[in-house]
Amino acid sequence: MAPRSGRTSKRSGDGGGDAAPTTPPSTDPHRAPAAQSAEASLPATTGWLLRGKDGRLTAYAATPGGVLRWTETRAGGPAWSGPEPLPLAGLLPYVSVARSAEGFVHLLGVRDRQRPEGDVERDLVHAVQYQTGRPLRDWQSVGNPHGKDRGKGARIGMPSAVLDATGSMHLFVRNANGGLSAKHQSPTGRWQPWGGANATDTTLTGETSAAVTDRGAIDILVPAGGGTVRWLRGTPDAKLERAEEEPAAAVAHATVTAERTGTGALTRFWRDADDSTVRAWRPGTEPASLGGPGTGPLALLRTPVDGYDCTILAGRGPDGRLQVAAYPTEDEKAGLNWTPTGEPCAGAPALALDGTGRVVLACLGLDGALRVTRQKDETGLALEAWRRV
C-alpha cells in the first residue's frame, strides 16, 4: 500500500524547531494582507502555485488593489524573487488562477469601481501571463452577468475559471438570482455573450467550483441550500446540462475543490457543513469521510509516492496550522492520517510539483510573507524545514 501522510510527521518541519519563527503582521505594502484575509468574508482559494514551461514555480496572492507574485529564480529552487506587485485599482482580494498546456497563466478577479453617483460598479477582470516571470498583460473587463444593473451586479458570487483544450477560458459565477451565469472565449480569444443555467428546483447558495477532466469535459459543482447542484459541459461550445448525479451533502461554504483521479474522472473534495471534516466524492459513490477537521478549501495534488499513485491533500486545521495527508488515489477505504506542519497560516495552501518532480507545499504566513516547504530527496513524503520568502 502507498505510504500514508503520517510518514511526513516529525521529519517534515511540523511543529519542531525547524518551523520559521512567528513574526508580527507586516505593514509592508508588498506583503499580502494575509492576517486580514484569513478572517475576511471573501472565500479563500487554492491552485495559486503553478509551474511554468521552464520548470520554475510562481505563486500568486490576491490583495486589495492588485496581485503579488513570487517566482523561483531557477527550477527546483530554493531561491525566489518577489513579491512583485501586479496592481489593479479596485481589485478584491480574490483570484481564480488557471494554466494552459502552453504554460500561459490566466488570472480572473473581481473589481469594484466607485461611480460618481455614489454606488459601486462591479465587474469581472481577466489578465494573462505568457511566460514565467514576464510582465502580466493588461487587465481586461469581461463584464457582469447583470449588465448595467449595478444593484444586482454587486450581489454576484466569486467566479471560478478553467481552461479548455484550446486554451480558451470558461468562467462560472453564482448570479444575484441564485442561478449560474457562464461566459467563455472562442478559440480566437473573443469573449462570447453571457449565458448560464438555472437550478429550477433550488437556489444556489455557495460559490461555483469548475474543473476539467482529462477528456475535456467541464464539471461544475455548486452548493445549494443543504445539497449541491451539478452541471456538465461536454465540449467547449456545448450548452450546460444538469448532471444526472449530484452528491447529497451539506457542503461548507467555498470549500469544494477537485482533482483528476482517473480517465475521464474527477474526485471532488469539500468540508462538511456540520463538522468541517473532509469528504471525497465521485459519481457512482457515496461521499467518503476522510477526517481532518479544519477550515477552507483543500489543496490537491496527484503524484506517485514511492511508486504508488497517490492523492495528496493539504488544508488549514482548527488551529490555523496546515495539515497534510496522502492516500492511494480513489481508494478512500485505505484511510489516511493528517499531519500538522509549520505555523499558523492565512487563506488556503497550494500544492505543486517543482521542476525536479518534488512536491512543494506553500502558504501565506500571518505576516503576509510566502512560506514554502519542499519534499526531501528520500523515500516517502518527508518535507524539508519551512522557508520564509
Side-chain angles (χ1 to χ4, degrees), residues 178 180 198-209 219-231 242-257 268-273 279-283 285-287:
L180 179 73
N198 289 321
T200 56
D201 56 343
T202 188
T203 299
L204 303 184
T205 56
E207 305 297 349
T208 59
S209 172
D219 190 310
I220 305 101
L221 187 66
V222 192
T228 55
V229 179
R230 182 169 164 246
W231 286 275
R242 184 80 176 259
E244 294 182 359
E245 291 191 66
E246 297 170 344
V251 177
H253 178 68
T255 62
V256 181
T257 50
R268 293 283 188 170
F269 298 85
W270 63 80
R271 293 194 183 276
D272 183 82
R279 300 288 191 270
W281 177 81
R282 285 178 303 283
T285 70
E286 292 296 321

Side-chain angles (χ1 to χ4, degrees), residues 138-227:
D138 290 343
W139 291 93
Q140 301 291 331
S141 174
V142 294
N144 185 301
H146 297 289
K148 296 182 179 180
D149 188 333
R150 292 199 285 271
K152 284 189 174 182
R155 301 200 304 273
I156 64 172
M158 294 294 106
S160 178
V162 293
L163 300 176
D164 64 29
T166 71
S168 298
M169 175 177 278
H170 297 246
L171 69 87
F172 305 91
V173 64
R174 172 177 47 82
N175 61 44
N177 300 321
L180 179 73
S181 289
K183 194 178 181 102
H184 70 278
Q185 292 175 308
S186 69
T188 64
R190 182 181 180 85
W191 285 97
Q192 302 302 298
W194 284 99
N198 289 321
T200 56
D201 56 343
T202 188
T203 299
L204 303 184
T205 56
E207 305 297 349
T208 59
S209 172
V212 183
T213 72
D214 59 355
R215 291 179 173 174
I218 299 174
D219 190 310
I220 305 101
L221 187 66
V222 192

Side-chain angles (χ1 to χ4, degrees), residues 53-356:
K53 295 290 283 187
D54 63 358
R56 289 187 293 160
L57 293 172
T58 304
Y60 303 86
T63 71
V67 173
L68 296 181
R69 182 178 70 181
W70 294 261
T71 307
E72 280 188 318
T73 57
R74 66 180 181 86
W80 295 70
S81 64
E84 176 186 1
L86 307 173
L88 177 65
L91 187 72
L92 301 184
Y94 172 96
V95 66
S96 180
V97 186
R99 177 188 176 276
S100 72
E102 298 83 7
F104 304 161
V105 176
H106 294 248
L107 306 179
L108 179 67
V110 182
R111 174 176 58 181
D112 281 350
R113 290 183 288 184
Q114 195 73 33
R115 303 296 299 176
E117 299 87 347
D119 57 358
V120 172
E121 180 179 29
R122 172 167 291 184
D123 64 343
L124 305 184
V125 287
H126 170 236
V128 185
Q129 174 189 293
Y130 288 106
Q131 288 181 292
T132 302
R134 300 296 296 170
L136 190 71
R137 295 292 297 268
D138 290 343
W139 291 93
Q140 301 291 331
S141 174
V142 294
N144 185 301
H146 297 289
K148 296 182 179 180
D149 188 333
R150 292 199 285 271
K152 284 189 174 182
R155 301 200 304 273
I156 64 172
M158 294 294 106
S160 178
V162 293
L163 300 176
D164 64 29
T166 71
S168 298
M169 175 177 278
H170 297 246
L171 69 87
F172 305 91
V173 64
R174 172 177 47 82
N175 61 44
N177 300 321
L180 179 73
S181 289
K183 194 178 181 102
H184 70 278
Q185 292 175 308
S186 69
T188 64
R190 182 181 180 85
W191 285 97
Q192 302 302 298
W194 284 99
N198 289 321
T200 56
D201 56 343
T202 188
T203 299
L204 303 184
T205 56
E207 305 297 349
T208 59
S209 172
V212 183
T213 72
D214 59 355
R215 291 179 173 174
I218 299 174
D219 190 310
I220 305 101
L221 187 66
V222 192
T228 55
V229 179
R230 182 169 164 246
W231 286 275
L232 298 174
R233 176 175 278 168
T235 60
D237 57 352
K239 291 184 178 180
L240 289 168
E241 300 287 346
R242 184 80 176 259
E244 294 182 359
E245 291 191 66
E246 297 170 344
V251 177
H253 178 68
T255 62
V256 181
T257 50
E259 181 61 77
R260 297 178 182 177
T261 56
T263 303
L266 295 169
T267 299
R268 293 283 188 170
F269 298 85
W270 63 80
R271 293 194 183 276
D272 183 82
D274 294 326
D275 61 15
S276 77
T277 57
V278 178
R279 300 288 191 270
W281 177 81
R282 285 178 303 283
T285 70
E286 292 296 321
S289 178
L290 302 182
T295 61
L298 281 296
L300 305 168
L301 179 65
R302 182 186 177 192
T303 188
V305 178
D306 292 347
Y308 295 92
D309 179 359
C310 288
T311 298
I312 303 171
L313 304 87
R316 292 179 71 222
D319 61 355
R321 298 177 67 202
L322 295 190
Q323 298 184 115
V324 184
Y327 72 100
T329 295
E330 294 194 346
D331 188 9
E332 286 78 20
K333 292 182 180 179
L336 66 167
N337 299 320
W338 292 90
T339 302
T341 179
E343 61 186 77
C345 65
L351 282 163
L353 293 178
D354 70 12
T356 66

